[in-house]
Amino acid sequence: MSTLPWLNPERAEGLQRALRERILVIDGAMGTMIQQHALEEADYRGERFAEGFDGLLESSDHTHGPGCGCAHDQRGNNDLLSLTRPDIIEAIHADYLAAGADLVETNTFNSTTLSLSDYGLQHLARELNETGARIARAACDAAEAKTPDQPRFVIGVLGPTSRTASLSPDVNRPGFRAVDFDDLRIAYREAADGLVDGGADVLMVETVFDTLNAKAALFAIAEAFDARGARLPVMVSGTITDASGRTLSGQTAEAFWYSLRHAQPLAIGLNCALGAKDLRPHVDVLSQIADTHVSTHPNAGLPNAFGGYDETPEDMATMLREFAESGLLNLVGGCCGTTPAHIAAIAEAVRGLAPREVPRLADAA
């Protein structure tokens, strides 16, 4: 990736310049904000999918059959809202930008054929990625027009998919895999192309619970860049799944970094699963060993008995300010349970604090 020129040199160099100057703020949770709208099935389907199938592809004499999507409940398919309720998605981006976010993530966490197959809508993968990026691009351009001294960037999100290449989903067949490297590579390539075409400034492989999945994503991204003869910056963010301090596929934060360092990401980080307090020691490890920028966007604490999150904006801001004061961060934001109020508090907490200085390691000289 590193030998190719930037696809958008001005944007890439502007992002790198901003990273040298200050700690940049990533937005908060998309799903949390969507939940506040209490949407029904009809909201997710909109007019295009109201009859139980994709109205742009099927005729009125649509015949029900395997894979047609009609039997799938679309509630919870948040990425579909980019097509059926783009007004909601753009408003959420705008709220986070108004709260002080420098970067917003596209509404594409599940926009791969693998994840969309759970809803019978895998044919939408390319369209959802491109549309999600265009919506975020429009929101960032509007915000940047109001504050030209604060550039805003679109992070094209590539989620972990609903499959894992390293582990068997069947306890009785430990050697079985529901997906392989090539399946992931093909799915991620389609998603990456859509995000680039939609105007993303950065691609982020995020919430990585299986490093083999991430490797497939990075391979696909490299293929997409090679095909264009130019590249975008790439970020990677893993998730520590529990108190063991490891990803689901068994890696510590240190092992996670060294497994992916070859991709020369713009940033390595951790998000989701845990709150800031529990993530701190693992972010600390990354800050010591990674010769690139370090990011974190934790949950608003651990889920409570009702599946909600209890950490207030002030709670998170206080903890993440300590991260910044300790020299651990280059980028910071929020994941599950966070809102524009959380991002506003975090942005204020890190304002004026120096970004972590990227070390030059002996074997990287």
Side-chain angles (χ1 to χ4, degrees), residues 11 90 93-94 97 101-105 134-147 150-155 201:
R11 301 293 297 174
E90 186 161 5
H93 288 320
L97 290 162
D102 299 291
L103 307 100
V104 296
E105 302 170 73
R134 290 192 188 284
I135 293 171
R137 172 84 277 144
C140 282
D141 289 348
E144 193 169 326
K146 296 176 182 176
T147 57
Q150 183 183 2
R152 313 298 181 100
F153 302 95
V154 174
I155 298 177
D201 295 303

Side-chain angles (χ1 to χ4, degrees), residues 2 5 18 26 36 67 71 84 97-98 121 133 139-140 142-143 170 176 178 197 200 273 278 283 289 359 361-362:
S2 60
I26 303 172
Q36 295 181 8
T84 58
L97 290 162
L121 295 176
C140 282
D170 185 346
F176 172 72
D197 286 344
D278 293 320
V283 175
I289 63 174
L361 303 181

Side-chain angles (χ1 to χ4, degrees), residues 32 35 302-310 336-337:
T32 297
Q35 288 170 11
L302 295 173
N304 58 31
F306 303 100
Y309 296 85
D310 297 326
C336 303

Side-chain angles (χ1 to χ4, degrees), residues 125-251:
R126 175 67 177 259
E127 183 181 2
L128 284 174
N129 281 282
E130 184 169 349
T131 302
R134 290 192 188 284
I135 293 171
R137 172 84 277 144
C140 282
D141 289 348
E144 193 169 326
K146 296 176 182 176
T147 57
D149 59 330
Q150 183 183 2
R152 313 298 181 100
F153 302 95
V154 174
I155 298 177
V157 167
L158 295 160
T161 82
S162 54
R163 312 285 193 274
T164 168
S166 293
L167 303 170
S168 172
D170 185 346
V171 295
N172 297 311
R173 293 190 294 165
F176 172 72
R177 297 293 182 271
V179 71
D180 63 25
F181 188 92
D182 278 338
D183 293 333
L184 289 161
R185 176 185 62 81
I186 292 167
Y188 277 126
R189 170 66 190 275
E190 182 177 25
D193 280 331
L195 291 169
V196 176
D197 286 344
D201 295 303
V202 185
L203 298 185
M204 178 163 68
V205 183
E206 76 149 305
T207 319
V208 176
F209 57 77
D210 184 341
T211 305
L212 187 55
N213 285 35
K215 284 178 175 287
L218 291 168
F219 191 94
I221 289 169
E223 285 187 322
F225 291 169
D226 284 342
R228 295 169 187 268
R231 63 188 169 115
L232 296 178
V234 174
M235 298 169 60
V236 180
S237 185
T239 185
I240 301 295
T241 54
D242 55 38
S244 70
R246 295 175 182 268
T247 63
L248 187 64
S249 56
Q251 288 191 309

